[in-house]
Amino acid sequence: MGGLTFIGAVMIAAAMISSAESSITTFSKAFKPLYGEANIVSYEDEGSVEIAMDETTSSGFHSKQMYTQGYFETSLKLPESYTAGVIVTFYSSNNQKYPYRHDEIDFEFLGRARGGKWSLQTNFYGAGHVERGREERYDLWFDPSEDFHRYAILWGPDWITYYVDRVPIRHVNKVPSIRDEFPSKEMRLYATIWNGSDWATAGGKYKMDMSYGPFIAKYSDFKLHPKTFGSK
Ligand SMILES: *[C@@H]1O[C@H](CO)[C@@H](O)[C@H](O)[C@H]1NC(C)=O
């Protein structure tokens, strides 16, 4: 099959978002700490969470459930100021369950040097084929540290669409050359903040400077909408 068109992806997301009231969830309902628990602050009343990196630890969380396809959205406000080397993520993976043939769909924010911009990278892997990078990088049309913006992954049986503020920025169809490199097995959602000084910002030229820390990323308005997209 030819997969989904770009407009199709926009329409599906619109339909899923409007029917997604029931899929709105809070941090404490849907997620739990992965590491660096001392640096994770949950705001029960907002359903939101902050994860921080300081001199003691980085941190991250993951979903309690695994999902096979669906629409997964978070609002996210990135750390302010100089954040070179600081990587902030929102992604799905099953590397714990399938260590040598894992799947992954990623948003990775790659820090910001002085006077520069945060760069956003998308990527995906299937069946452990990590040798084949499918990264794409983008400049955002806003400052992602000034306010919350929505980042979403729509993962279907044979397509993936990445959204920023509900605008599709990348659409991947499972064309024959992708084959088993397309994510197919159930995954958890993850969000992390960590030191990627080796490669993140300008290829590692600018490193993390802890005198600007602690670096804090705040996530809210989670929409987890597992879905089977009808028979094919
Ligand atoms: C961050 O990572 C770089 C590169 O691996 C390392 O040299 C540096 O010590 C790390 N910084 C901290 C505070 O862990």
Side-chain angles (χ1 to χ4, degrees):
M1 293 298 293
L4 188 73
T5 64
F6 198 67
I7 294 297
V10 175
M11 312 243 331
I12 285 192
M16 294 185 70
I17 290 160
S18 62
S19 73
E21 286 311 306
S22 61
S23 68
I24 295 172
T25 189
T26 64
F27 171 72
S28 58
K29 269 194 199 135
F31 297 95
K32 60 182 180 184
L34 173 64
Y35 65 102
E37 201 160 344
N39 278 3
I40 301 178
V41 180
S42 166
Y43 296 87
E44 271 304 313
D45 50 334
E46 298 175 2
S48 60
V49 64
E50 281 177 359
I51 58 175
M53 175 161 58
D54 61 14
E55 4 352 82
T56 65
T57 186
S58 51
S59 58
F61 60 88
H62 69 89
S63 63
K64 294 176 187 172
Q65 290 183 30
M66 301 188 87
Y67 303 92
T68 307
Q69 300 158 12
Y71 179 81
F72 308 107
E73 181 185 278
T74 184
S75 286
L76 168 59
K77 187 171 182 288
L78 294 180
E80 286 162 5
S81 185
Y82 178 84
T83 51
V86 177
I87 298 186
V88 176
T89 67
F90 178 62
Y91 67 103
S92 63
S93 176
N94 50 27
N95 67 328
Q96 286 173 323
K97 186 165 180 184
Y98 304 103
Y100 299 106
R101 50 189 194 99
H102 89 283
D103 306 316
E104 205 173 298
I105 304 175
D106 310 87
F107 277 111
E108 297 172 307
F109 297 88
L110 303 180
R112 171 168 62 186
R114 214 166 271 103
K117 284 183 170 177
W118 275 93
S119 174
L120 169 60
Q121 174 166 289
T122 62
N123 198 7
F124 69 94
Y125 298 115
H129 288 284
V130 295
E131 75 285 351
R132 173 97 174 234
R134 297 187 189 275
E135 299 94 351
E136 282 187 8
R137 290 187 187 182
Y138 316 86
D139 284 335
L140 296 169
W141 55 96
F142 50 81
D143 178 347
S145 70
E146 264 180 6
D147 210 344
F148 286 91
H149 290 272
R150 292 176 164 125
Y151 305 94
I153 293 165
L154 177 64
W155 171 32
D158 52 14
W159 71 87
I160 300 166
T161 312
Y162 301 80
Y163 300 86
V164 174
D165 285 333
R166 309 234 167 122
V167 176
I169 59 158
R170 182 181 187 183
H171 181 66
V172 177
N173 278 323
K174 185 186 176 185
V175 293
S177 62
I178 293 183
R179 289 192 309 269
D180 63 336
E181 297 169 42
F182 189 86
S184 62
K185 305 182 292 296
E186 72 275 29
M187 294 195 262
R188 277 182 215 287
L189 292 164
Y190 291 81
T192 55
I193 185 165
W194 50 282
N195 175 11
S197 289
D198 282 347
W199 63 276
T201 309
K205 185 171 170 199
Y206 302 105
K207 315 276 187 208
M208 181 172 78
D209 180 347
M210 202 37 99
S211 65
Y212 291 91
F215 304 104
I216 299 170
K218 186 165 183 180
Y219 298 75
S220 73
D221 295 306
F222 299 100
K223 294 187 179 60
L224 309 184
H225 196 51
K227 172 84 177 167
T228 353
F229 293 88
S231 55
K232 289 213 45 121

